[in-house]
Amino acid sequence: MTSANIVIVAPPTRVPWPIRLRIRLDRRPELFTLFLLVCLCAFVGIANPDFFQAATLFDLARSSVVTGLFALGVFVILAAGGIDVSFTAIAALSMYSVTQLVVTHFPSAPLILVFAAAALGGGVLGLINGFLVHELKAPSLIVTIGTQYLFRGFLLTFIGTAWVASLPDQMDHFGKLALIEFVSVRGTKAMLPAFFLALPAVAGLTWWILNRTLMGRAIFATGGSRDVAERLGYNLRAVHFFIFAYTGALAGVAGMIHVCSSRMANPFDLVGMEIDVIAAVVLGGARITGGTGTVTGTVLGVVLVVVINNVLIMAGVPSTWQRLVVGAFILVAGAFFVVRRRR
């Protein structure tokens, strides 16, 4: 072997772990959300070991379903550079109208048709948002504040204000149907409801739309730069119609799951959830101006907010501190994401 054939390979340079961690967080900001969630769970678990019991975890999973369905819809709109605050009004109008219709005229309607009607009603109401945002060229925040009052006012004026306390058997049975159920050694009953499956199913569908379809690329392109997306040939009308209709349909399904799980339809339910849902999406790493975010981050943000809202009392923290803690987490996460983008 001659000296011309010898190739000297420099030893790989080992990157210090703080730089590796920063690079990883730059690529996967939802890891920071996961870090906050683990820290919170560790704190609550040390303060109260009952936190890690199956019954508590099942209760958290049950509480995550409606918030998670709302958050996945809001995330799709945020990814496109918009925002929606009317989804709770859409859910309330859809779930209460469909429940009244089923109880009064079609008490034996198949459950799949009940959910399809709620999703269709929510989708149509969402289309109104999409039409107004696109045709009026108005900020989606202003439009959805207006439709929020419009939908809720229509519900309370023309549909009804009385609770529907007696549901048809198929809806009542679905709310009580268990996916996993057992009695612990302490004699307490732990049950994970079957409707929990709706959350991973919708999360998978949303991931597929955003990452495997042309509409998903159009949504992120619109959120990144509306003008550039238009020059690239994306149909902004289709994007606006789709994101608001999709979010409305998810709101309708979430509202119907809320009715089945609580076994009653209250037209005043779901009011005030908007901030928690938007906070969950932002905590998951989605930029409020659009163009970024992941489904995994959104789900982690939902779990983080649900854990904060449900278990601080177990750690001995007064319930009046919940909003303060949620706000602190949002500020910490927001500061982290801003610093990351400036680097």
Side-chain angles (χ1 to χ4, degrees):
M1 178 180 295
T2 64
S3 59
N5 294 327
I6 298 175
V7 178
I8 300 176
V9 179
T13 304
R14 186 170 180 80
V15 180
W17 71 266
I19 298 179
R20 293 203 309 271
L21 178 62
R22 192 182 73 184
I23 294 173
R24 187 175 290 273
L25 288 175
D26 284 344
R27 294 175 178 169
R28 303 293 302 273
E30 62 269 23
L31 291 177
F32 184 69
T33 309
L34 179 62
F35 170 75
L36 293 177
L37 180 61
V38 170
C39 290
L40 178 63
C41 290
F43 167 71
V44 178
I46 293 172
N48 189 339
D50 288 344
F51 172 72
F52 292 109
Q53 285 190 356
T56 304
L57 299 179
F58 286 176
D59 285 342
L60 293 176
R62 175 204 296 266
S63 301
S64 300
V65 176
V66 172
T67 305
L69 295 182
F70 284 151
L72 288 167
V74 170
F75 166 57
V76 171
I77 294 182
L78 278 181
I83 194 168
D84 185 357
V85 294
S86 67
F87 54 89
T88 57
I90 291 176
L93 179 53
S94 300
M95 64 94 169
Y96 191 80
S97 304
V98 172
T99 303
Q100 281 278 28
L101 187 65
V102 172
V103 170
T104 307
H105 300 289
F106 308 102
S108 60
L111 190 64
I112 187 68
L113 288 183
V114 175
F115 272 88
L120 180 63
V124 170
L125 296 176
L127 274 177
I128 296 175
N129 281 334
F131 174 81
L132 295 174
V133 169
H134 185 78
E135 298 299 331
L136 298 179
K137 310 295 182 189
S140 55
L141 176 62
I142 303 301
V143 170
T144 54
I145 287 176
T147 54
Q148 180 194 44
Y149 279 91
L150 181 69
F151 297 152
R152 195 169 294 281
F154 184 86
L155 168 64
L156 300 181
T157 303
F158 298 104
I159 306 299
T161 56
W163 294 8
V164 180
S166 180
L167 298 181
D169 290 340
Q170 70 276 26
M171 296 173 64
D172 186 64
H173 176 70
F174 178 67
K176 295 185 288 187
L177 184 63
L179 181 66
I180 302 173
E181 185 176 22
F182 62 88
V183 178
S184 69
V185 292
R186 296 184 179 182
T188 58
K189 182 179 178 181
M191 192 268 278
L192 180 66
F195 60 76
F196 171 75
L197 292 176
L199 181 56
V202 172
L205 174 64
T206 306
W207 179 91
W208 178 78
I209 291 173
L210 292 177
N211 295 280
R212 291 290 185 271
T213 67
L214 181 61
M215 178 56 73
R217 289 194 289 274
I219 289 172
F220 280 116
T222 304
S225 172
R226 179 188 174 117
D227 294 336
V228 171
E230 205 162 19
R231 283 198 294 273
L232 290 174
Y234 290 117
N235 187 337
L236 297 189
R237 175 194 292 267
V239 171
H240 286 142
F241 279 30
F242 174 80
I243 59 175
F244 284 101
Y246 184 69
T247 301
L250 292 188
V253 173
M256 194 51 63
I257 287 177
H258 174 77
V259 169
C260 294
S261 62
S262 60
R263 301 184 191 111
M264 61 179 294
N266 180 358
F268 299 98
D269 274 356
L270 306 175
V271 177
M273 289 186 64
E274 298 87 355
I275 299 302
D276 278 351
V277 172
I278 295 173
V281 180
V282 173
L283 282 171
R287 189 186 303 176
I288 201 75
T289 53
T292 62
T294 63
V295 170
T296 303
T298 301
V299 173
L300 287 173
V302 168
V303 176
L304 181 58
V305 169
V306 169
V307 169
I308 293 173
N309 286 335
N310 285 272
V311 301
L312 284 183
I313 296 175
M314 294 181 65
V317 179
S319 60
T320 51
W321 284 63
Q322 287 185 358
R323 295 295 174 187
L324 187 149
V325 175
V326 173
F329 271 88
I330 292 174
L331 288 177
V332 170
F336 166 77
F337 294 134
V338 168
V339 171
R340 182 179 65 84
R341 285 165 194 143
R342 286 178 177 172
R343 281 202 298 261

